[in-house]
């Protein structure tokens, strides 16, 4: 069990007089958000950390799944058949295991620990993710979604594999930069809003301080080990939502712990998220579903003979757009 079994609202906030110009709305402190288990494909259960009722996004990060470590020595491992996406990027980062990405642009790309896959759906793409028959005994990683702004969300699909990411030592931390800019380094991954994703590996028990951007909101999760972030004990299974208005963040952790820092400028457009689609209205998402079921728009996944995943039925009520704090629109 995590140290906290429900969301804990903290009251510390940056005093108004130290707030930098242009940072008007400072979120009142951090919120610990316990994740919940969701089955993914036939053989995997993930911990869903975003979206949640109270906080739906960190910058444009709109979906955070943490899976494993699972013993898949006698099991297929990851097994997600062809399915569509629109309006988002998928960002895949493995700590253990191996998966083969195939998509409707013709890409067939294995991914292993230390490598990053970034798939941009634009208006539409289809892909599958499966561990090869011969795979390592453990499966462990994260899959994240990034909401695309206009006009990228209506644009072309793309896929990029990054095997060589910026890595450096910062005191007690080994930093691997997955997405965005941090400490003067820049990731090769292409994103469409100001965004950060960084793995922090704790090397020693001494406290560390990260320099943050006050115009970004941030969140932290522990992928393995244990840490204390902004004074809050953190273990795998929960996300610490940190809000905006900070220029630094204190943390310390057990040596060997792996943390994931996410950040970005607040994404102000309300989103309709349903199944594998991110849109702005019920009609957009319903059209994406109809196109997938009719074999339009998303193409055919290369070298994957498995039948495409059918979309579930739409709910009988209209899908509503929600803003990043959970407010309902339309
Ligand atoms: Mn997918």
């Amino acid at each position: 069990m995590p140290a906290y079994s429900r969301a804990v609202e903290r009251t510390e906030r940056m005093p108004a007089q130290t707030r930098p110009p242009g940072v008007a709305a400072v979120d009142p402190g951090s919120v610990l958000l316990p994740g919940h288990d969701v089955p993914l494909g036939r053989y995997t259960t993930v911990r869903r950390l975003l979206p949640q009722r109270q906080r739906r996004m960190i910058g444009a990060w709109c979906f955070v799944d943490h899976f494993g470590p699972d013993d898949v020595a006698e099991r297929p491992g990851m097994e997600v058949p062809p399915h569509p996406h629109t309006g988002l990027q998928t960002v895949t980062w493995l700590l253990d295991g191996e998966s083969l990405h195939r998509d409707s642009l013709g890409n067939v790309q294995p991914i292993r620990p230390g490598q990053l896959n970034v798939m941009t759906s634009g208006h539409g793409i289809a892909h599958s993710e499966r561990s090869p028959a011969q795979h390592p005994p453990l499966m462990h990683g994260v899959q994240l979604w990034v909401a695309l702004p206009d006009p990228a969300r209506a644009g072309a699909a793309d896929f990029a594999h990054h095997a060589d990411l910026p890595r450096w030592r910062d005191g007690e931390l080994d930093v691997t930069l997955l997405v965005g800019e941090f400490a003067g380094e820049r990731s090769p991954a292409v994103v469409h809003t100001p965004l950060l994703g960084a793995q922090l590996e704790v090397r020693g028990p001494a406290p560390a301080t990260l320099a943050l951007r006050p115009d970004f909101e941030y969140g932290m999760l522990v992928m393995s080990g244990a840490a204390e972030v902004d004074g809050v004990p953190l273990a795998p299974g929960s996300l610490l939502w940190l809000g905006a208005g900070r220029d630094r963040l204190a943390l310390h952790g057990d040596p060997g712990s792996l943390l994931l820092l996410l950040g970005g400028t607040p994404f102000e457009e309300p989103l309709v998220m349903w199944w594998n689609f991110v849109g702005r209205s019920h009609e957009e998402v319903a059209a994406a579903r109809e196109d997938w079921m009719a074999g339009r728009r998303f193409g055919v996944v290369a070298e994957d003979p498995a039948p495409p995943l059918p979309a579930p039925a739409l709910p009988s009520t209209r899908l509503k757009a929600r803003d990043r704090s959970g407010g309902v629109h339309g």
Side-chain angles (χ1 to χ4, degrees):
M1 277 290 287
Y4 294 74
S5 58
R6 61 185 171 81
V8 177
E9 296 275 353
R10 287 167 51 83
T11 52
E12 286 173 32
R13 67 188 72 193
M14 177 181 275
Q17 63 271 21
T18 65
R19 190 178 302 162
V23 182
V26 173
D27 199 88
S30 56
V31 186
L32 189 70
L33 301 170
H36 60 279
D37 289 350
V38 177
L40 181 76
R42 286 179 61 192
Y43 301 101
T44 309
T45 297
V46 303
R47 265 173 243 109
R48 182 141 308 153
L49 299 168
L50 277 184
Q52 301 220 23
R53 187 176 52 80
Q54 301 160 284
R55 297 287 187 281
R56 300 189 61 81
M57 304 183 77
I58 300 166
W61 300 106
C62 62
F63 194 92
V64 176
D65 275 353
H66 175 211
F67 51 89
D70 292 323
D71 182 350
V72 296
E74 308 297 328
R75 291 193 285 141
M78 188 174 285
E79 195 63 29
V80 185
H83 62 280
H85 288 292
T86 186
L88 60 88
Q89 293 177 292
T90 62
V91 175
T92 306
W93 176 248
L94 297 184
L95 303 176
D96 274 303
E98 182 175 343
S99 175
L100 185 63
H101 163 96
R102 301 177 172 103
D103 68 37
S104 52
L105 299 175
N107 297 293
V108 177
Q109 175 66 56
I111 179 170
R112 301 185 179 91
Q115 306 174 340
L116 189 75
N117 276 358
V118 179
M119 185 182 78
T120 303
S121 75
H123 189 51
I125 195 169
H127 73 148
S128 66
E129 295 163 289
R130 303 171 185 281
S131 296
Q134 297 292 320
H135 54 259
L138 288 180
M139 194 70 191
H140 188 197
V142 290
Q143 190 174 75
L144 316 164
W145 291 2
V146 178
L148 287 171
D150 287 315
R153 72 188 194 91
D158 184 51
F159 174 79
H161 176 76
H162 301 288
D164 191 17
L165 294 164
R167 294 170 189 272
W168 66 93
R169 171 82 45 90
D170 177 6
E172 296 278 0
L173 301 174
D174 275 343
V175 182
T176 305
L177 184 56
L178 312 185
V179 171
E181 293 177 43
F182 196 50
E185 301 284 341
R186 180 192 292 241
S187 162
V190 173
V191 291
H192 300 268
T193 51
L195 206 63
L196 173 69
Q199 174 180 282
L200 312 173
E201 181 170 4
V202 179
R203 299 193 52 83
T209 302
L210 300 174
L212 301 185
R213 284 176 57 164
D215 62 327
F216 269 33
E217 54 190 15
Y218 290 93
M220 186 86 82
L221 61 116
V222 172
M223 298 185 287
S224 70
E228 191 172 303
V229 179
D230 195 35
V232 179
L234 201 54
S238 295
L239 173 77
L240 184 64
W241 193 93
L242 291 159
R246 295 165 189 266
D247 60 5
R248 64 183 72 90
L249 180 66
L251 65 97
H252 60 92
D254 295 345
S257 296
L258 288 166
L259 284 63
L260 184 67
L261 176 67
L262 301 174
T265 51
F267 195 91
E268 300 292 356
E269 289 177 67
L271 302 177
V272 178
M273 289 178 60
W274 181 80
W275 196 44
N276 291 301
F277 305 131
V278 175
R280 298 295 184 275
S281 68
H282 175 94
E283 286 72 21
E284 272 187 27
V285 168
R289 181 191 182 279
E290 204 173 303
D291 284 351
W292 173 247
M293 295 305 281
R296 296 187 297 259
R297 189 197 305 197
F298 298 97
V300 174
V301 173
E303 297 177 29
D304 192 330
L309 208 60
L314 280 169
S316 54
T317 55
R318 281 179 61 80
L319 299 167
K320 294 199 188 319
R322 289 177 190 277
D323 64 28
R324 60 198 185 85
S325 58
V328 175
H329 299 249

